[in-house]
Amino acid sequence: MANIKKLVSLPLLIISLNKDKEMKRTVVFITLIVLFNGVNAQNSAEKIIAGNPGLHIGGYAQVDFNLPSRVGAIHKNGTLDVHRLVTFFGYNFNEKASFVSEVEFEHVTEVYVEQAFLDYKIKNNLSVNAGLMLIPMGIQNLYHEPATFNGVERTNVDKYIVPTTWREIGIGISGRSIDYSANYQAMVVNGFNGYNEGGVFSGDKGLRSGRQKGAKSYITSPDFAGRVSYYGHPGLNLGLSAYVGDTETKLYDGLDLADETAVASADSSIVGMQMIGVDARYIKGALQLRGQYIVANLSNTDQYNAFTSKDLGSKLIGYYAEVGYNLLEIKSDTEELIAFARYENYNTHSAVEVITINDTYNRTDITIGLGFKVAQGAMFKADYQIKSNAGFDEKSGQFNFGTAIWF
Amino acid sequence: MYSKNNIFKAAALTVAALLLFSFTAIYVLSTKDWKKIEKNAKAVFNIEGLIFSEIRNTSNLGATRFFKINDLGYLAFDQAPSKFHKFEYYIIFDAKGEILKVEVLNYNENYGAEICNKRWLKQFYQINTSSFFEYNTTVDGISGATISVQSISSHIWNVTEKLKGYLKQK
């Protein structure tokens, strides 16, 4: 940073050089400085041991116990799972350049890279980012650490509509305006894999299976994502996110552009995307409110479904509203006991082209639960979910218990 | 022998100065930030022609830079850590060391940027700094910005303590 200057505390040295007999002391003093400064000549392991200020280590994890209720006489087993364990490594090379990485172990056996990008500050409050980055859409895709949200599992809007954790390789800017109390992000990123020896998207899961996650991902046309969040009113955080672009297709690889039939069939494997999300979080004393609304408009789904025999909807809508109350607000400064209730609806067949609407894709979850925050970033969670869909009258229930940490 | 010693001393001093350079960093403001502070100080004291004179040679003040503003009050600025980076802020005090204004000048990551909110920072104006416990329970938390909230509130407390200590000495 240009406006950082290094100053020297000279008086100490001048005193030590006032008299010849003090020279020994000077030598000792300098030797000490040399030894002290020798910390610079280290390998990476030593840097970690020495607590190098440039290095940041962190992580988050959630370990879950899910217990579905019996449906009539049908018993269902519970599951116990280290759902995710993520290690964070960041390194500040200097005042301007820093690297952020997150490596995720999911269900113990699957390994993913969740983030890996270089952040370069081009001026105060504005950085360029390049690498594998989170798509700024809604609350949980960006703030997905389990100690930051209520409920054992992430919200299903942020699974079926926004395919959290949604990340792709790209380049973008991220900045802040302190005067307007706003953060903003804009990026050019790789799109979903929509066709890979067959259609990838589905009516049930929407776009979720198309995430390329930076793993040997391929591209024909880049997509655009952006988000603005406003925090001008204390306790309130408002977000507006947008994503536009086309999905990618393997059929474009090696495509002869002169062959009209081949081009036409390759074009049928592409879906156009426009996703918009608004979200709000509000906290006042013991009261915590949050909500989110996401809509994705997809084009060319008629051709896509005809070509791939899939049942992808042309409009995906999801929203939730949640009320939480910290029962320990007055009693404790360090601990929180949050009781919450959430209503959530996510419909991957909000509209369709040509095909008929499948009502079972119009799903509603009601979740009530408790979160006991024993420290900032450490939580025990318990909740009960009632799940239903518009296609069946019967509801299903599930208990969830979990341990959530973030540091 | 005498001159040899002098050369040795000069060399030693240079080496020591260079080495000290590498880990003594004091934050210096950009012109743009200075203009912002001057403008806001003018608004706080409602007076033209403010003179900022730096208070030096008091080791108790640490890395924070303090300025006397005429006989009206004081200015302090410094850096504090957010989650991964550092942000820059300044505080304007009255002549008794009570806080009149706090502002974040630059914030270097999106995490925790909510602490830059001017209306949130207003809670520090004239805040009671007689006991840390009372002070700390007065400060409103921000969900998702815990680290930065704790960072700025403990910095504001420490800087105020340093200034009040200095004012007592005087």
Side-chain angles (χ1 to χ4, degrees):
Chain A
M1 207 165 75
N3 52 14
I4 287 283
K5 282 182 190 163
K6 291 172 176 177
L7 300 180
V8 184
S9 30
L10 285 170
L12 229 162
L13 277 171
I14 291 161
I15 292 163
S16 69
L17 287 169
N18 271 347
K19 288 176 181 173
D20 278 1
K21 66 179 178 187
E22 299 243 14
M23 205 161 77
K24 257 188 195 166
R25 200 183 292 171
T26 314
V27 173
V28 171
F29 184 53
I30 289 165
T31 314
L32 279 173
I33 293 171
V34 170
L35 285 173
F36 200 76
N37 236 34
V39 177
N40 285 337
Q42 289 171 314
N43 65 32
S44 57
E46 284 168 329
K47 274 180 185 168
I48 294 167
I49 292 159
N52 190 297
L55 183 72
H56 292 272
I57 300 172
Y60 66 88
Q62 72 178 78
V63 183
D64 303 340
F65 171 37
N66 306 107
L67 187 65
S69 300
R70 229 171 251 174
V71 182
I74 309 296
H75 173 78
K76 285 186 175 175
N77 279 339
T79 55
L80 304 114
D81 187 23
V82 180
H83 195 145
R84 47 178 70 89
L85 173 71
V86 178
T87 54
F88 174 96
F89 282 98
Y91 190 75
N92 292 339
F93 296 95
N94 52 39
E95 293 276 347
K96 284 186 171 177
S98 56
F99 175 71
V100 169
S101 78
E102 277 185 357
V103 177
E104 172 175 41
F105 295 88
E106 211 169 291
H107 310 298
V108 181
T109 51
E110 301 164 32
V111 180
Y112 298 102
V113 177
E114 219 168 58
Q115 297 188 64
F117 66 89
L118 185 60
D119 179 297
Y120 179 66
K121 187 165 128 184
I122 46 174
K123 55 181 270 198
N124 278 336
N125 299 320
L126 185 65
S127 295
V128 169
N129 310 132
L132 180 68
M133 298 182 290
L134 299 174
I135 308 296
M137 175 59 68
I139 301 170
Q140 275 187 16
N141 201 55
L142 284 175
Y143 304 100
H144 50 242
E145 297 84 356
T148 65
F149 56 83
N150 287 324
V152 174
E153 303 293 345
R154 291 176 182 171
T155 48
N156 278 321
V157 171
D158 295 287
K159 181 177 179 182
Y160 290 89
I161 313 295
V162 182
T164 304
T165 305
W166 182 10
R167 71 276 189 189
E168 294 293 343
I169 295 173
I171 183 163
I173 54 163
S174 91
R176 287 152 301 285
S177 164
I178 293 175
D179 288 335
Y180 294 100
S181 299
N183 289 345
Y184 55 91
Q185 268 179 284
M187 55 176 75
V188 183
V189 284
N190 198 1
F192 287 112
N193 162 32
Y195 191 91
N196 181 16
E197 295 162 7
V200 173
F201 304 134
S202 66
D204 179 19
K205 290 187 170 169
L207 305 160
R208 186 168 181 84
S209 305
R211 292 174 298 167
Q212 301 205 60
K213 306 171 183 175
K216 288 186 182 168
S217 62
Y218 67 95
I219 188 166
T220 299
S221 61
D223 293 3
F224 303 91
R227 176 175 166 88
V228 180
S229 63
Y230 172 77
Y231 48 85
H233 184 87
L236 180 69
N237 197 316
L238 295 172
L240 176 67
S241 319
Y243 183 99
V244 287
D246 290 332
T247 63
E248 314 298 330
T249 173
K250 279 265 168 85
L251 292 180
Y252 260 57
D253 198 31
L255 178 68
D256 178 2
L257 295 172
D259 183 347
E260 281 178 27
T261 327
V263 170
S265 77
D267 282 348
S268 302
S269 64
I270 292 173
V271 172
M273 274 182 71
Q274 284 179 343
M275 195 186 281
I276 288 178
V278 288
D279 55 79
R281 285 168 283 171
Y282 183 67
I283 182 163
K284 174 95 183 164
L287 183 68
Q288 309 174 355
L289 304 173
R290 65 165 67 190
Q292 175 171 287
Y293 180 89
I294 308 277
V295 56
N297 282 304
L298 308 181
S299 60
N300 203 38
T301 58
D302 52 341
Q303 287 194 39
Y304 182 85
N305 289 334
F307 184 69
T308 61
S309 316
K310 294 284 183 179
D311 61 342
L312 181 65
S314 61
K315 184 180 260 187
L316 286 61
I317 291 179
Y319 58 89
Y320 70 78
E322 182 188 290
V323 185
Y325 194 85
N326 175 15
L327 303 167
L328 296 180
E329 168 74 10
I330 298 161
K331 280 191 175 169
S332 174
D333 259 1
T334 50
E335 295 181 337
E336 289 177 37
L337 181 63
I338 303 157
F340 76 96
R342 181 171 61 224
Y343 179 87
E344 187 176 8
N345 178 270
Y346 46 105
N347 187 354
T348 48
H349 262 190
S350 190
V352 293
E353 289 177 299
V354 184
I355 58 169
T356 49
I357 283 180
N358 186 338
D359 280 335
T360 60
Y361 299 159
N362 179 4
R363 290 155 279 194
T364 300
D365 296 353
I366 294 169
T367 312
I368 48 168
L370 284 172
F372 183 31
K373 206 178 256 191
V374 291
Q376 280 303 330
M379 241 176 140
F380 295 110
K381 296 176 174 181
D383 61 59
Y384 185 71
Q385 289 187 300
I386 302 160
K387 298 187 177 211
S388 60
N389 66 60
F392 285 112
D393 286 338
E394 212 159 299
K395 292 178 166 64
S396 65
Q398 176 170 311
F399 284 102
N400 304 299
F401 303 92
T403 299
I405 60 109
W406 177 35
F407 62 94
Chain B
M1 190 63 195
Y2 185 70
S3 63
K4 230 185 200 175
N5 266 348
N6 264 357
I7 290 163
F8 179 78
K9 271 189 271 183
L13 186 67
T14 315
V15 171
L18 282 171
L19 289 169
L20 265 171
F21 247 57
S22 54
F23 59 87
T24 313
I26 292 178
Y27 172 57
V28 175
L29 284 177
S30 68
T31 325
K32 192 182 148 206
D33 289 341
W34 249 125
K35 278 188 181 157
K36 199 170 185 181
I37 291 177
E38 280 181 333
K39 195 181 120 198
N40 285 322
K42 214 156 71 179
V44 166
F45 295 114
N46 200 13
I47 193 171
E48 295 281 332
L50 293 174
I51 296 161
F52 296 82
S53 43
E54 183 154 17
I55 304 164
R56 290 175 193 272
N57 301 326
T58 42
S59 54
N60 296 341
L61 296 179
T64 314
R65 296 184 68 181
F66 285 91
F67 294 78
K68 197 171 183 208
I69 311 173
N70 297 9
D71 283 327
L72 301 165
Y74 297 88
L75 162 73
F77 65 78
D78 204 348
Q79 290 180 306
S82 49
K83 192 168 170 67
F84 305 121
H85 298 274
K86 283 178 177 171
F87 62 88
E88 286 104 41
Y89 68 93
Y90 74 92
I91 309 172
I92 294 173
F93 299 92
D94 69 10
K96 286 177 191 159
E98 300 301 326
I99 298 167
L100 299 177
K101 188 163 185 80
V102 182
E103 198 169 53
V104 177
L105 291 162
N106 301 298
Y107 195 88
N108 296 311
E109 61 194 297
N110 281 340
Y111 261 112
E114 290 88 346
I115 63 152
C116 306
N117 183 334
K118 286 167 189 171
R119 285 165 70 182
W120 184 79
L121 288 169
K122 268 189 184 165
Q123 66 180 311
F124 291 101
Y125 300 2
Q126 307 282 1
I127 196 169
N128 180 1
T129 52
S130 56
S131 91
F132 181 74
F133 179 77
E134 261 180 56
Y135 166 85
N136 205 30
T137 45
T138 315
V139 177
D140 284 332
I142 303 173
S143 157
T146 315
I147 295 165
S148 297
V149 167
Q150 283 169 358
S151 176
I152 196 164
S153 60
S154 66
H155 260 252
I156 291 170
W157 166 266
N158 285 332
V159 168
T160 311
E161 285 292 286
K162 278 194 266 184
L163 179 68
K164 287 193 167 169
Y166 167 78
L167 292 175
K168 261 185 204 163
Q169 273 178 21
K170 268 184 30 174

